[in-house]
Amino acid sequence: MKTQKEYYLTNKKIRLRTVIGFSLLITFLSLCLIGWGILHDQPRDNRALVPIRKTLEYNSVIFGSFFSNNRLSAEYSKEDVVPFVRTNGKYGLRSPLDTSAWRLHVIRKNGDTLSLSMQALQSLPKTEIIFDFKCIEGWSQVTHWGGVRFSDFVQALHLEAEAGQKYVGLSTPDNEYYVGIDRKSMMHPQTLLCYEMNGKALPPNNGFPLRLIIPVKYGVKHLKRLGRITFSEERPPDYWHERGYDYDCGL
Ligand SMILES: Nc1nc2c(c(=O)[nH]1)N[C@H]1C(S)=C(S)[C@@H](COP(=O)(O)O)O[C@H]1N2
Ligand SMILES: [Mo]
């Protein structure tokens, strides 16, 4: 049997612990609030809060150091391909397109512009790929694409000097949608300039007449309705980077 004194002591201990526990909780929550406040008072870099942007850039450096042309994205077989390919993102696809006048414009180092017809692109070696296309919004689908490897394209058109620069910029003919991609990812063997989906010409909403397929990146970088390619040492403008996303969007 406990004495009245012992009961009193136990109650005192419980009260003390409750007080300490609550104080710690309040301190922790206050620190969270203060931290949140400090973070939100930070300036922004391309719409992302600077500390968050810095974290993204730091991750880029780490993942960039792992990047290798020998590391391939998983490939699938025709049975795995989805029956209906969903479409997503229509920036740069809304203006009418004059199919017969369409050319792929490549800006050379000396300022000249190469204007390539679809026929010229289709005369280059063709590569097909079936892979799991991943969108940053959280969905993915196994899809089948055909076209010319970007690295084969560079070789065939003698663009080695251009492609020696750090970045490639791609944009739609109306320049409404544009992406910038590091050279290594562009020269990866699974990166294609595609004119076919499921063995047929691309449907308009999937990027007719030509699009980028770059399995080492999220969907945002797979620019549809490609009109212009540039090369540069500096990062080219990038539509979603300007709106707060990571520049690399690597996988
Ligand atoms: N021109 C253009 N290309 C684009 C986009 C866009 O809005 N405009 N959206 C991108 C995004 S976010 C995704 S997920 C893929 C979707 O490709 P799909 O429509 O062929 O499935 O296209 C990418 N390419
Ligand atoms: Mo996307």
Side-chain angles (χ1 to χ4, degrees), residues 138-193:
W139 53 268
S140 78
Q141 54 182 6
V142 174
T143 41
H144 177 195
W145 309 91
V148 54
R149 256 193 197 123
F150 188 73
S151 57
D152 288 345
F153 171 85
V154 163
Q155 200 180 17
L157 292 155
H158 307 292
L159 293 166
E160 286 86 358
E162 283 73 12
Q165 296 179 87
K166 277 197 188 140
Y167 292 98
V168 181
L170 304 100
S171 58
T172 54
D174 63 6
N175 209 30
E176 257 210 42
Y177 195 71
Y178 39 90
V179 299
I181 295 173
D182 58 282
R183 168 192 54 215
K184 279 194 193 164
S185 301
M186 278 307 284
M187 297 301 279
H188 185 276
Q190 289 172 314
T191 300
L192 315 178
L193 300 179

Side-chain angles (χ1 to χ4, degrees), residues 26-41:
I26 301 286
T27 315
F28 174 71
L29 290 178
S30 314
L31 285 176
C32 285
L33 267 177
I34 293 167
W36 179 257
I38 292 175
L39 183 63
H40 273 266
D41 284 342

Side-chain angles (χ1 to χ4, degrees), residues 185-206:
S185 301
M186 278 307 284
M187 297 301 279
H188 185 276
Q190 289 172 314
T191 300
L192 315 178
L193 300 179
C194 283
Y195 43 81
E196 281 183 3
M197 185 182 93
N198 294 329
K200 293 186 219 100
L202 292 175
N205 286 336
N206 297 104

Side-chain angles (χ1 to χ4, degrees), residues 86-91 135 172 177 206 211 219-220 222 224:
R86 66 190 282 177
T87 63
N88 194 46
K90 288 191 119 190
Y91 300 104
C135 172
T172 54
Y177 195 71
N206 297 104
R211 76 172 300 167
V220 283
H222 299 229
K224 300 186 277 192

Side-chain angles (χ1 to χ4, degrees), residues 120-133:
L121 291 162
Q122 289 178 340
S123 73
L124 299 174
K126 184 172 157 187
T127 302
E128 292 185 42
I129 187 166
I130 301 175
F131 80 109
D132 197 12
F133 187 110

Side-chain angles (χ1 to χ4, degrees), residues 67-76 129-132 134 188-190 214-217 251:
F67 191 89
S68 158
N69 275 354
N70 303 321
R71 274 186 54 211
L72 299 180
S73 298
E75 295 198 25
Y76 295 78
I129 187 166
I130 301 175
F131 80 109
D132 197 12
K134 298 184 179 78
H188 185 276
Q190 289 172 314
I214 180 158
V216 297
K217 302 272 186 197
L251 277 162

